[in-house]
Amino acid sequence: YVCSTWGNNHFKTFDGDVYQFPGICEYNFVSDCREAYNEFSVHIQRALNSNGHPEIQYILMKIKDITVYLKPNLVVVDGRIVKTPYYTSGVLIESGEIYTKIYAKLGMVLMWNQQDALMVELDNKFNNHTCGLCGDYNGIPIYNEFINGDASYNSITYGNLQKISKPSAKCDDPDETQALPSCNEHRDECQKLLTSPAFADCRLRLNLEMYIQACMQDKCACNGKEDSFCLCSTISEYSRQCSHSGGRPGEWRTQNFC
């Protein structure tokens, strides 16, 4: 029931597809797409921070008739800056040092680390009713996201389709013809990190290969720079998803690692 995005433009849909999409426009992350009345929508915009790493600049949500705008250390509800914890008709917003969390009574929990990682958990009453970068939540990987009728999309084409069109927006679509590099030389290192004893309780709960692949792509993108973002963001996501599914990751951060 969880869709997430983290680190170097990784996305994991409700149905379990993992892909990379480096767009810097505003996109529909997940919305209720039934025709009559849409109960919620979540839009996100990423940008590169001063270190050249992609971070989520803002999140724009509508929950029924309430509009919530989130930036790091800032929560705006219906145009007013509010102090957290904040409660209004079926929506609770909490914000700590690291995470901003929103609980909506209609069946949604959103959690953002105010940097690169966002996770949305959705009640299964929305099965087959969502659209956006998180997919259609129909329980079937690939279908209707990357294969729709006779058309098949790569992840960049799929991501570009989720752009929110704004007349004033200045952002280019990522190139759909660009191939992802093969990053096999990093497999051993990534596998070692993700199978360390600290994650013993996570092995059977998550699809390990998926996170190894994401970690390999991160290492590739950093071209051998010793940069904690390239290594730590996917490991952090693995740890978060593990606790979310009831696992107990051990202490994996150390004084000099992440």
Side-chain angles (χ1 to χ4, degrees):
Y1 307 143
V2 172
C3 168
S4 60
T5 180
W6 73 93
N8 189 23
N9 305 302
H10 298 291
F11 290 84
K12 175 182 162 290
T13 68
F14 287 115
D15 299 333
D17 290 309
V18 172
Y19 64 96
Q20 257 184 312
F21 174 65
I24 51 168
C25 306
E26 183 180 306
Y27 300 94
N28 173 12
F29 184 62
V30 56
S31 300
D32 173 10
C33 290
R34 285 173 290 192
E35 284 174 9
Y37 177 68
N38 301 339
E39 291 198 47
F40 70 89
S41 64
V42 179
H43 294 178
I44 62 171
Q45 171 137 21
R46 268 198 169 84
L48 298 179
N49 66 13
S50 52
N51 302 325
H53 297 315
E55 282 197 344
I56 296 172
Q57 267 193 311
Y58 66 79
I59 298 172
L60 182 60
M61 301 174 67
K62 282 197 80 149
I63 301 170
K64 302 214 163 161
D65 305 320
I66 300 159
T67 303
V68 181
Y69 177 72
L70 303 175
K71 285 188 88 144
N73 306 313
L74 179 71
V75 178
V76 179
V77 178
D78 290 336
R80 280 198 356 263
I81 294 179
V82 298
K83 274 200 169 73
T84 55
Y86 179 83
Y87 184 77
T88 175
S89 53
V91 179
L92 170 65
I93 305 173
E94 292 176 350
S95 202
E97 298 250 301
I98 302 178
Y99 288 100
T100 298
K101 294 184 181 177
I102 297 184
Y103 302 88
K105 210 154 123 190
L106 56 79
M108 172 165 80
V109 180
L110 175 144
M111 186 166 110
W112 178 38
N113 71 350
Q114 304 195 30
Q115 294 175 349
D116 65 300
L118 169 66
M119 179 148 97
V120 171
E121 183 180 4
L122 211 50
D123 194 293
N124 59 9
K125 72 176 182 196
F126 292 107
N127 280 144
N128 229 346
H129 294 321
T130 65
C131 60
L133 293 166
C134 285
D136 60 6
Y137 198 10
N138 67 354
I140 310 167
I142 306 181
Y143 275 89
N144 301 353
E145 286 94 13
F146 302 101
I147 297 176
N148 196 339
D150 294 334
S152 68
Y153 302 115
N154 70 23
S155 62
I156 308 286
T157 311
Y158 181 71
N160 286 339
L161 289 170
Q162 315 307 324
K163 184 161 83 172
I164 306 296
S165 59
K166 293 167 123 182
S168 60
K170 292 182 175 50
C171 61
D172 295 326
D173 288 341
D175 177 2
E176 299 178 3
T177 58
Q178 219 176 339
L180 281 177
S182 138
C183 305
N184 281 334
E185 69 273 22
H186 301 297
R187 170 173 271 285
D188 291 351
E189 182 185 6
C190 287
Q191 187 157 352
K192 195 169 145 217
L193 289 166
L194 288 160
T195 53
S196 78
F199 294 123
D201 197 25
C202 307
R203 287 290 292 275
L204 299 172
R205 297 170 192 278
L206 301 173
N207 173 343
L208 177 65
E209 180 60 26
M210 194 152 90
Y211 295 95
I212 291 176
Q213 292 291 337
C215 166
M216 283 158 57
Q217 287 162 354
D218 294 351
K219 290 289 290 177
C220 256
C222 285
N223 292 331
K225 287 201 297 286
E226 274 312 308
D227 183 328
S228 71
F229 178 86
C230 311
L231 213 49
C232 303
S233 53
T234 288
I235 299 176
S236 309
E237 176 68 8
Y238 186 67
S239 179
R240 271 191 297 269
Q241 293 285 350
C242 175
S243 359
H244 196 79
S245 56
R248 297 195 144 201
E251 263 317 319
W252 58 274
R253 295 176 188 274
T254 65
Q255 218 49 56
N256 34 22
F257 181 72
C258 294

